[in-house]
Amino acid sequence: MAKTVLITGGTGVIGRRLTELLLQQGFQVSLLSRSAVKKNLPGVTVYQWNVEKGHIDPQAILTAQHIIHLAGAGIAEQRWTDGRKRLIIESRTQSTQLLANALRSTRHNVESFVAASAIGYYGGDTGDRPLTETSDGGTDFMARVVRAWERSVDDVASLGIRTVRLRIGIVLSMQGGALPKLVQPARFGLGAPLGSGQQYISWIHIDDLCRMFIQALLDEEWQGIYNAVAPEPVTNSIFVRLINEQLRKPSFLPNIPAFAIRLLFGEMAIVVLGGNYVLNRRIEEESRFQYRFANISDALTNLLGT
């Protein structure tokens, strides 16, 4: 009988593609959603939960052999007001705590718990200093979010369940995230580097990320924290130039000034002006994972399809 993977945050960009790949590989998939009624999800069972009220349908836990935890308010969807910051943190920590409590109180058969995390752990802007899974964390808002996020998963690990945390880089997908926002002006010949353009982008193709999640839940050797990034970070300037080349558009515009981006986004500007040179050391040295898109040019060719 096919094993069931329970996904939180399953209607987001990562969750949708992950669901497709899991179904293709013969898994059964169930989702946790605020609404128990979801359309256009053939082959998927939807269970209801409400993090604020501390409610979760116990059947979701009873029927699952694996859990992939993606839920959390979007980092770059709104300006970082005090209320938004609180929501960003609590949506991650409280949802994890709810799952931990449900697992603690239910006679379940969950074998693995694979949680999303983020390379924001290292801080919003760490320059060209190579970062591995053992590097120190940062002190800014993003680092505090990720530290609390990962710490909440310790409650699941304390139950004896194998847990994996994937510190995800910039996910490349045309279904959402950063790439469509960069591609749109580039299609009109307006693609330009942001700020200095020298900030590093530690990226990963969405299909490689989803395959990484699947391998993490199946391979019992995977445990702890992994940097979920491709092997070759690139600077923002190179990234924008390659997009322009892929779309056969010129690269002649000056960089968009950092002060203009800060005026527009406030504190959240660090998401695009900052950068990290993150290495996937544990993936390369300790796992059998094989990338399909290890090179940024190959990834952009696949996604932009020109």
Side-chain angles (χ1 to χ4, degrees):
M1 183 176 178
K3 291 192 174 183
T4 298
V5 181
L6 173 65
I7 304 177
T8 75
T11 57
V13 174
I14 297 171
R16 292 196 303 271
R17 182 58 176 153
L18 181 56
T19 296
E20 291 176 359
L21 294 181
L22 284 166
L23 291 173
Q24 288 174 15
Q25 294 188 29
F27 290 92
Q28 294 183 352
V29 177
S30 57
L31 305 181
L32 279 169
S33 169
R34 290 182 63 90
S35 171
V37 179
K38 288 284 182 181
K39 298 179 180 179
N40 302 320
L41 291 172
V44 175
T45 303
V46 181
Y47 296 102
Q48 193 168 18
W49 74 335
N50 187 307
V51 175
E52 293 80 7
K53 294 182 179 179
H55 167 74
I56 183 171
D57 187 332
Q59 283 296 118
I61 302 297
L62 287 170
T63 55
Q65 284 77 48
H66 304 283
I67 297 176
I68 295 179
H69 184 31
L70 305 174
I75 293 293
E77 291 178 359
Q78 299 180 27
R79 287 178 71 95
W80 288 350
T81 62
D82 289 344
R84 184 65 184 179
K85 285 182 175 181
R86 186 166 56 252
L87 176 63
I88 287 171
I89 294 175
E90 291 180 352
S91 64
R92 288 160 171 76
T93 58
Q94 292 181 0
S95 60
T96 310
Q97 187 62 59
L98 178 56
L99 289 167
N101 290 342
L103 288 164
R104 186 177 293 110
S105 61
T106 306
R107 293 178 63 86
H108 62 80
N109 296 301
V110 174
E111 302 168 12
S112 67
F113 186 96
V114 185
S117 182
I119 61 173
Y121 171 86
Y122 304 107
D125 189 8
T126 53
D128 59 359
R129 175 167 57 94
L131 301 167
T132 70
E133 290 86 354
T134 59
S135 297
D136 292 337
T139 59
D140 60 11
F141 171 65
M142 273 301 304
R144 295 197 303 274
V145 169
V146 179
R147 189 173 290 110
W149 195 3
E150 292 186 354
R151 193 163 50 237
S152 67
V153 180
D154 291 341
D155 289 335
V156 177
S158 70
L159 302 175
I161 298 171
R162 181 175 62 86
T163 61
V164 178
R165 279 156 273 203
L166 297 182
R167 287 181 181 157
I168 302 171
I170 303 299
V171 180
L172 300 188
S173 166
M174 284 305 294
Q175 305 307 311
L179 187 57
K181 295 180 176 66
L182 292 171
V183 167
Q184 185 175 8
R187 291 192 189 280
F188 296 97
L190 301 175
L194 305 175
S196 71
Q198 297 309 301
Q199 65 272 35
Y200 274 94
I201 297 174
S202 295
W203 59 276
I204 186 167
H205 188 292
I206 188 167
D207 282 3
D208 277 339
L209 175 62
C210 291
R211 291 175 52 249
M212 202 176 284
F213 269 104
I214 294 171
Q215 189 153 339
L217 65 84
L218 290 178
D219 190 335
E220 294 183 359
E221 294 182 1
W222 285 52
Q223 186 141 347
I225 292 167
Y226 297 79
N227 288 333
V229 294
E232 301 177 7
V234 295
T235 64
N236 179 267
S237 290
I238 292 174
F239 188 59
V240 172
R241 176 174 60 79
L242 290 173
I243 290 174
N244 289 334
E245 290 178 359
Q246 185 66 37
L247 297 175
R248 299 180 177 85
K249 299 295 182 180
S251 295
F252 64 89
L253 293 177
N255 294 20
I256 299 173
F259 76 85
I261 296 173
R262 292 192 183 96
L263 283 175
L264 184 61
F265 294 106
E267 185 183 359
M268 193 175 69
I270 191 67
V271 174
V272 293
L273 293 177
N276 308 101
Y277 193 95
V278 179
L279 302 177
N280 58 346
R281 182 161 293 172
R282 290 197 69 195
I283 297 292
E284 290 202 328
E285 297 181 357
E286 301 178 23
S287 81
R288 295 183 292 273
F289 183 80
Q290 297 293 317
Y291 288 86
R292 292 182 179 166
F293 303 98
N295 178 276
I296 185 64
S297 294
D298 292 341
L300 291 175
T301 298
N302 172 263
L303 291 164
L304 300 181
T306 60

